[in-house]
Amino acid sequence: MAYKFKSKPIDPSEVTPEDVYLSRRDILKAMGIVTASAALLAACAPDLPDTANSGAVDLPAGASVDEFGDPLNTYEEITNYNNYYEFTVDKQGVARLAADFNPEPWSVEVSGLVNNPGTYTMDDLLGKFPTEERIYRLRCVEAWSMVIPWEGFELGKLLNQVEPTAEAKYVRFETLMDVDRMPGQKQRFYPWPYQEGLRMDEAMHPLTILATGLYGKPMPNQNGAPIRLVVPWKYGFKSIKAITKIELVAEEPETMWSTIAPNEYGFYANVNPNVDHPRWSQATERRIGEIGRRASRMFNGYEEDVAYLYEGMDLRVNY
Ligand SMILES: Nc1nc2c(c(=O)[nH]1)N[C@H]1C(S)=C(S)[C@@H](COP(=O)(O)O)O[C@H]1N2
Ligand SMILES: [Mo]
């Protein structure tokens, strides 16, 4: 793998509260992650303590490349080629159809197996959880990809706040259900509302964010305003948009795409160039804005950060 964050020794005091969910051995592994996150964070957080990015890959402030040196997609590309079936299945038509969607007021209900359930307005969330820039690759299961500078905060911070109980093993997410505002929901074929899920350790992983903007601006409607999930090592469909509900549950939740076609879209949906979709190869992808195709990377290039989550699992079975 070409991808390697030059990790530096890290003071255990810098390890964030996800250690609550990790064994001591996992914490050691997680240090690489913390460093990786710090490197991404460094792109936009001039007020970070000096220790946060020394020795790590440094992306200069306002970086216009990802950690592989690949350029960011333009704002125009990111906002005019979208998957958002609540509006239309036409990727180049989402922007126009979503233009009048009003994402205010908005609140997110966090419930289920937690000690502190709550309903958070966007002001609550943005007040409690300062956002930072994360430059991530987004790789759609349809084999196209982009590099996107998201603004967001770690989902784990919100989950820590609601205190999942010991029974909570998965997190379930739901998109707004409102046929009047989301005309695509008139298509009865789809089992609305869109829903998705993560295993608890995936949800707590520091790369997993709730994104509220991109390119330093509030989230455009077509990208999932006002708040959407971004899980960069998984196929894009896991990154559910316009979230209104987050529920902590004991069993693996149903997801919209695995309900529609369980043999094609599994629960895990980790980017994996070695496991083809039943109808096409996943070995390569088309980066929007480029001619030709490029090789797809294991876990979308985040292998060193996340492979430990799947140790001992057969990724062909758990696709
Ligand atoms: N609610 C909802 N979330 C969704 C989708 C959708 O149709 N509805 N499409 C998914 C798919 S398939 C992809 S590839 C990404 C695309 O995100 P983007 O349009 O911001 O690039 O959103 C995901 N999240
Ligand atoms: Mo996708």
Side-chain angles (χ1 to χ4, degrees):
M1 298 297 298
Y3 169 71
K4 192 167 194 327
F5 286 103
K6 294 176 211 135
S7 58
K8 69 179 180 78
I10 187 164
D11 178 351
S13 68
E14 290 178 50
V15 177
T16 43
E18 53 273 7
D19 59 358
V20 174
Y21 291 85
L22 300 175
S23 70
R24 167 120 189 97
R25 189 168 139 266
D26 287 336
I27 292 169
L28 293 171
K29 289 185 189 166
M31 300 200 170
I33 298 156
V34 173
T35 306
S37 305
L40 297 173
L41 186 73
C44 66
D47 55 349
L48 272 180
D50 283 340
T51 52
N53 62 359
S54 59
V57 168
D58 39 355
L59 294 173
S64 56
V65 295
D66 69 4
E67 75 278 17
F68 290 100
D70 290 334
L72 305 192
N73 282 92
T74 65
Y75 188 81
E76 285 63 36
E77 287 166 337
I78 296 166
T79 56
N80 287 289
Y81 191 85
N82 304 98
N83 269 331
Y84 203 168
Y85 281 24
E86 283 83 348
F87 291 96
T88 170
V89 299
D90 169 16
K91 285 187 246 301
Q92 295 173 81
V94 175
R96 189 177 59 81
L97 281 164
D100 294 332
F101 178 78
N102 181 2
E104 289 169 6
W106 196 271
S107 58
V108 181
E109 183 192 306
V110 191
S111 63
L113 302 170
V114 298
N115 293 325
N116 288 323
T119 298
Y120 295 79
T121 64
M122 287 308 294
D123 282 348
D124 293 336
L125 293 172
L126 294 170
K128 275 191 208 308
F129 309 112
T131 62
E132 60 192 56
E133 183 175 71
R134 292 285 179 97
I135 296 171
Y136 284 161
R137 292 168 292 288
L138 178 116
R139 205 293 195 174
C140 177
V141 74
E142 300 162 334
W144 55 266
S145 64
M146 297 204 207
V147 183
I148 303 179
W150 302 107
E151 290 289 328
F153 59 89
E154 292 174 11
L155 171 64
K157 293 188 177 165
L158 174 59
L159 295 180
N160 282 336
Q161 180 96 24
V162 298
E163 295 179 17
T165 67
E167 289 74 48
K169 300 285 187 254
Y170 295 88
V171 187
R172 181 183 165 273
F173 304 84
E174 205 177 286
T175 294
L176 174 70
M177 179 73 206
D178 187 337
V179 192
D180 294 330
R181 293 159 74 196
M182 295 181 147
Q185 290 178 337
K186 290 183 188 128
Q187 291 294 335
R188 305 294 284 277
F189 169 79
Y190 298 100
W192 309 111
Y194 197 106
Q195 48 177 332
E196 257 306 336
L198 293 173
R199 214 171 57 189
M200 196 63 182
D201 54 355
E202 298 175 323
M204 292 304 300
H205 193 286
L207 287 177
T208 301
I209 60 169
L210 286 171
T212 56
L214 59 84
Y215 267 112
K217 302 182 214 262
M219 190 65 77
N221 288 340
Q222 57 269 44
N223 297 92
I227 186 165
R228 56 94 55 88
L229 185 69
V230 181
V231 192
W233 69 94
K234 293 177 177 283
Y235 291 123
F237 66 84
K238 297 296 289 184
S239 293
I240 180 174
K241 296 177 172 180
I243 297 169
T244 55
K245 273 191 192 163
I246 300 177
E247 193 185 356
L248 287 281
V249 296
E251 308 291 334
E252 185 182 290
E254 285 185 10
T255 71
M256 186 164 102
W257 281 106
S258 66
T259 306
I260 295 169
N263 57 322
E264 299 193 359
Y265 309 104
F267 177 79
Y268 282 93
N270 292 313
V271 175
N272 188 339
N274 309 314
V275 178
D276 288 340
H277 185 278
R279 292 183 282 130
W280 59 83
S281 166
Q282 294 292 25
T284 64
E285 67 200 55
R286 183 171 60 91
R287 179 67 49 84
I288 300 304
E290 289 182 0
I291 299 162
R293 301 183 73 84
R294 51 163 70 215
S296 290
R297 298 184 178 102
M298 188 65 201
F299 297 112
N300 202 23
Y302 303 96
E303 183 167 17
E304 295 190 19
D305 297 312
V306 302
Y308 74 94
L309 295 169
Y310 310 103
E311 249 170 40
M313 278 176 67
D314 183 340
L315 299 177
R316 286 183 183 275
V317 176
N318 296 288
Y319 56 86

